[in-house]
Structures are given as C-alpha cells and as structure tokens.
C-alpha cells in the first residue's frame, strides 16, 4: 500500500530532531514527542524545500517532561525571529 502513495522516504539525524523539538517547544509552546517533529527536522536539514506555503504536520504529544527537559537542556532552540 505504501509503495502506491509515497514518493519517497527521508531520514533525519537525531541532532536535527532535537533542534526541531527544542525550537517548537520554546517558540511555539507545542508539547510534542520527538517523532512528531520529523518534518521540521527534514526542513532544517534542507531535505524538504521551503517555500512560502510550506506546511508541516505536527502530531503526537506522547512524551514525558523528563525526556523533553533533557532534550531542551542539551540542545538550545534556534533563534527564529
């Protein structure tokens, strides 16, 4: 089934996942699990072209406060002003 509806599969680094998570939690106050930010991580790595109308689906908040706190302590958010 997936072969019919998917154009490709991308991989992202753990570091990019942490940067994306920290940035989204800090700037947008979105409580997300690490797997929920894979689209943002791909965008940060340049694997997805950014355009004026780029949308990223953020879904999944199954993460405990210790996990998110550890990631944010190790990886500061990007400055996106």
């Amino acid at each position: 089934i997936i072969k019919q509806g998917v154009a490709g599969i991308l991989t992202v680094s753990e570091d990019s996942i942490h940067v994306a998570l920290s940035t989204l939690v800090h700037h947008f106050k979105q409580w997300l699990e690490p797997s929920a930010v894979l689209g943002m991580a791909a965008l940060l790595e340049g694997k997805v072209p950014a355009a004026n109308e780029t949308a990223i689906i953020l879904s999944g908040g199954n993460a405990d406060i210790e996990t998110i706190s550890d990631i944010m302590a190790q990886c500061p958010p990007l400055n996106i002003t």
Side-chain angles (χ1 to χ4, degrees):
I1 294 173
I2 196 165
K3 289 181 183 180
Q4 295 172 348
V6 174
I9 296 174
L10 302 173
T11 59
V12 294
S13 72
E14 199 77 22
D15 288 340
S16 292
I17 293 169
H18 291 176
V19 170
L21 179 67
S22 181
T23 300
L24 290 166
V25 170
H26 180 79
H27 291 291
F28 299 103
K29 312 302 184 229
Q30 295 295 309
W31 190 261
L32 300 160
E33 62 189 72
S35 63
V37 302
L38 296 177
M40 178 71 169
L43 186 68
L44 292 174
E45 286 188 8
K47 293 185 175 183
V48 176
N52 290 337
E53 296 181 6
T54 301
I56 300 171
I57 297 171
L58 304 171
S59 176
N62 188 21
D64 59 79
I65 194 166
E66 293 158 1
T67 300
I68 302 298
S69 296
D70 288 346
I71 290 171
M72 291 191 72
Q74 295 171 13
C75 184
L78 294 175
N79 184 0
I80 57 171
T81 57

